[in-house]
Amino acid sequence: MKTLVDSNAVLAAGLPLIRTQFGVPESFPPQVLAAAEEAAKRVPSAHVDRTAMPFVTLDPASSTDLDQAFAIERSGADLLLHYAIADVAWFVDDGGVIDAEAWKRGTTLYLPDGKAGLYPPVLAEGAASLLPSGPRPAVVFTVRVAPDGTPTLDGAERAIIRSRAKLAYDSVTEADLPPDFAELANRIAAAEDARGASRVDPPQQDVIADGKGGYRLAFEPRLVSEDRNAALSLATNLAVAALLHAHHTGLFRVMAGPDDRAVQRLRNVALGLGLEWPAALTLPQFVATLSAAEPAQAAFMIAERRSGGGATYTPYRDGVVPWHAAMAATYAHATAPLRRLADRYVVRAALAIANGQPVPEVVTQAFETLPPVMARADAIGGRIDRAVIDLAETAVLQGREGEIFSAVIVDADAHGARVQLCDLAVLTSVKTEGKPGETISVRLVTADTAARTLQFERVS
């Protein structure tokens, strides 16, 4: 798959327009910045000293807003994951100006030319970030992972930690990580398989800054280190969700799975892509056999991701088991409070319960009011991501009108077909009939960078 380069700097010119269109904040109000500067000076006084524990972080190399650090040790046949989460609540007062601004934003927005943070940089990339530049306050969840991969929360505490190293996905080695890092990830993966989880991670279509003032468009495969690191977060979120649900409180991430009609449609997609899906295998079982490194299998994974409903937030309700179909479990978001508003409240609830304390009323009230706030923020983030990709696709194809490209149909319905160009990182629509997996030829009619739209027609 070729990487596309924005040689005409169309992306550099178009990204500010996207920021304006979606109202992406350029900075923070002066009063918020001033309050954050003061908050950053707070000396932790409700925290135990855990600086002797060998915590490390693992993130993209360029990340500076580090939510999580981890250490792993053995406890008989079990593994203990000490998962440190940035203690954002230590710096953010309920009802204060920093808090009010965070409720307006909901999440951090990421664009290729920079992010619009949930919190001011002095906190998100400084005092609250788990960087290795000094001790940091954190909430440390101790998650016990059994040999079968079942995670349970053993305890939670406010602690001062010191990260030993800022590790990066693309350069980390096994020697940099705790000895049982891979084993813990393998246990979590085995538990997912046993539950029938169908979480898929196809290659992401990303626009990436090249470090020279330009951008490139590519399908970025997930690295092994990234998948294994995600397993640690997953285990913690599952353990926290179970604790909250057992105590009749919480905010949960829920998602419906594809219905019978959608599953049958996916079977047709697999057939069209030349993939053998045995009748005896369920969708999750089949997905577990796939590799994102294989183009046809990656195309199926993309189709599978689009087949179900999106995930949403819901507070605890008596008699209702909140369910995330892709996880095949009750699930919560607790591990990214610097980037997601909801996580700050989930962390506070879990910390209180784990220490035999009542959940603060302000947290319980937030669980009721957060779902629409997070839904709005997620929707804006999704629209921005799509606009950036649309702009990148038109930028790299500008001037190539009239050229014919080979494409594979990855999805089709009554309105037309969704196709992936065979040699370029472009997904687009064509008004044509066809079956998933079918290879067709398409001609580029227009690449409108102002409207961020492509028009292709099928060549008979």
Side-chain angles (χ1 to χ4, degrees), residues 241-286:
L243 176 75
L244 296 182
H245 191 257
H247 286 80
H248 299 182
T249 188
L251 183 70
F252 303 94
R253 195 74 166 146
V254 297
M255 186 178 78
D259 58 21
D260 292 343
R261 183 177 178 182
V263 171
Q264 183 55 53
R265 193 157 166 263
L266 286 170
R267 284 193 174 273
N268 294 335
V269 171
L271 184 64
L273 290 169
L275 304 177
E276 183 179 351
W277 181 352
L281 291 187
T282 64
L283 174 60
Q285 290 170 337
F286 177 60

Side-chain angles (χ1 to χ4, degrees), residues 68-370:
Q68 311 122 10
F70 58 89
I72 302 170
E73 64 176 321
R74 284 196 169 264
S75 176
D78 297 338
L79 294 176
L80 292 181
L81 167 63
H82 302 289
Y83 210 55
I85 308 298
D87 192 0
V88 180
W90 181 254
F91 300 99
V92 180
D93 296 329
D94 293 319
V97 293
I98 305 173
D99 184 41
E101 183 67 18
W103 275 81
K104 291 178 183 178
R105 299 184 179 217
T107 63
T108 293
L109 298 175
Y110 292 92
L111 289 91
D113 58 348
K115 61 178 175 283
L118 179 61
Y119 299 104
V122 69
L123 295 178
E125 301 174 55
S129 178
L130 303 184
L131 292 161
S133 54
R136 295 290 195 277
V139 174
V140 178
F141 292 117
T142 296
V143 181
R144 181 176 294 274
V145 180
D148 67 357
T150 301
T152 54
L153 192 64
D154 261 18
E157 63 180 4
R158 274 184 150 154
I160 299 298
I161 71 158
R162 183 189 294 272
S163 172
R164 297 294 197 273
K166 180 180 181 292
L167 307 176
Y169 291 140
D170 59 0
S171 61
V172 68
T173 66
E174 289 192 18
D176 299 325
L177 294 160
D180 290 309
F181 177 76
E183 169 63 18
L184 192 150
N186 290 338
R187 290 187 182 189
I188 298 303
E192 284 192 275
D193 291 341
R195 293 197 310 272
S198 60
R199 187 168 55 93
V200 297
D201 295 302
Q204 293 293 308
Q205 191 183 20
D206 288 330
V207 177
I208 306 153
D210 63 9
K212 303 175 183 177
Y215 302 90
R216 60 187 178 89
L217 174 66
F219 279 112
E220 292 289 298
R222 285 176 64 90
L223 301 173
V224 173
S225 58
E226 189 175 0
D227 284 334
R228 288 177 174 174
N229 191 51
L232 275 60
S233 181
L234 172 62
T236 305
N237 285 329
L238 290 172
V240 167
L243 176 75
L244 296 182
H245 191 257
H247 286 80
H248 299 182
T249 188
L251 183 70
F252 303 94
R253 195 74 166 146
V254 297
M255 186 178 78
D259 58 21
D260 292 343
R261 183 177 178 182
V263 171
Q264 183 55 53
R265 193 157 166 263
L266 286 170
R267 284 193 174 273
N268 294 335
V269 171
L271 184 64
L273 290 169
L275 304 177
E276 183 179 351
W277 181 352
L281 291 187
T282 64
L283 174 60
Q285 290 170 337
F286 177 60
V287 169
T289 69
L290 303 181
S291 169
E294 297 293 330
Q297 296 179 31
F300 180 89
M301 294 166 77
I302 292 171
E304 194 274 346
R305 173 167 282 184
R306 296 177 63 211
S307 67
T312 59
Y313 289 90
T314 186
Y316 174 84
R317 293 287 183 263
D318 286 335
V320 177
V321 177
W323 198 249
H324 194 295
M327 304 296 180
T330 297
Y331 184 68
H333 273 166
T335 55
L338 286 174
R339 291 170 282 164
R340 291 187 301 246
L341 174 63
D343 295 40
R344 170 157 57 99
Y345 294 92
V346 173
V347 168
R348 291 176 67 184
L351 178 64
I353 292 171
N355 289 280
Q357 300 171 358
V359 176
E361 182 61 27
V362 67
V363 173
T364 300
Q365 292 174 357
F367 288 156
E368 297 297 324
T369 53
L370 275 166

